[in-house]
Amino acid sequence: MASRGRSDTAVANPATSLVATDRRAAPDDSGVRNALTSIYYLPTSQAPMLLAKNASDHVHYHLDGRPFVYRTIDPATGVCETQILGRNLAQGQTLQVVVPGGMWKCGHVLVDSDDSCDFSLIAEAVAPGFDSRDFAFVTRKELFEVLPPGDLRDSFEKYLVREDTRIGPDLNNFHDGVYNESNAQV
């Protein structure tokens, strides 16, 4: 199930490893996705999780390090929620956060001046599995259409991809927050 960002249609047993979906990101997209994918990542105090959207459901798990402030936006209603992934359940932290497909999500490490640790180790399970064709960064235009002017919208701007940021092999393959893999230079 090593998808490398695409569903692996050449798996040994596709009947148990793949699922059909109604997703068609391109004319040649069959909609078949891995049943489940899982990754881990290490955001730091200097590298937050940028505001993104994915068609699949996600479960994020806190594995180690500092607590992680997890923020979501429902683009249909503009409702925003904040949860803190961490081990201190008595302080209202949670070990996992479930994010339904279509929700926007971002976050950052909750830093403490008394602690030299400035990272969170986060794992994520995605079902149907992650496929880059189902993923996009949220654009400033989209954010402004969903949230009215004010402090709440302003608080999400730091999670937007800056135009001068290099993501992936070639920033020119990102158009309006969507990565165009067919033009990538590897």
Side-chain angles (χ1 to χ4, degrees):
M1 217 185 326
S3 70
R4 294 179 191 85
R6 283 292 183 117
S7 295
D8 187 1
T9 57
V11 295
N13 190 354
T16 59
S17 299
L18 301 174
V19 295
T21 71
D22 61 357
R23 300 178 190 159
R24 303 291 183 275
D28 64 342
D29 183 359
S30 67
V32 172
R33 302 291 187 259
N34 288 316
L36 177 78
T37 57
S38 180
I39 65 166
Y40 57 90
Y41 48 97
L42 192 73
T44 68
S45 60
Q46 300 300 309
M49 185 174 82
L50 298 176
L51 188 58
K53 55 189 170 181
N54 192 304
S56 294
D57 296 338
H58 288 65
V59 181
H60 296 260
Y61 302 95
H62 183 269
L63 300 177
D64 199 8
R66 299 288 310 146
F68 188 79
V69 178
Y70 203 92
R71 301 182 72 192
T72 58
I73 303 172
D74 183 337
T77 64
V79 172
C80 304
E81 293 185 9
T82 299
Q83 296 182 64
I84 299 179
L85 279 171
R87 292 180 279 209
N88 195 333
L89 304 181
Q91 287 186 354
Q93 297 175 7
T94 183
L95 296 173
Q96 67 181 28
V97 171
V98 177
V99 180
M103 296 286 282
W104 299 353
K105 60 182 186 169
C106 61
H108 65 273
V109 174
L110 184 61
V111 292
D112 182 344
S113 60
D114 296 335
D115 192 346
S116 63
C117 178
D118 79 336
F119 70 88
S120 295
L121 181 59
I122 307 294
E124 166 183 293
V126 183
F130 179 82
D131 190 297
S132 61
R133 296 168 290 189
D134 302 331
F135 171 87
F137 288 104
V138 175
T139 65
R140 181 175 311 283
K141 180 179 184 268
E142 291 172 313
L143 179 65
F144 281 30
E145 288 171 353
V146 170
L147 296 181
D151 293 342
L152 181 61
R153 182 171 81 183
D154 294 348
S155 74
F156 278 96
E157 284 200 66
K158 68 181 177 184
Y159 299 104
L160 294 172
V161 174
R162 293 188 338 253
E163 290 183 20
D164 64 341
T165 302
R166 284 191 52 89
I167 299 175
D170 185 352
L171 180 62
N172 294 326
N173 292 315
F174 275 89
H175 299 285
D176 201 29
V178 178
Y179 184 67
N180 182 349
E181 188 176 273
S182 63
N183 296 329
Q185 302 292 320
V186 180

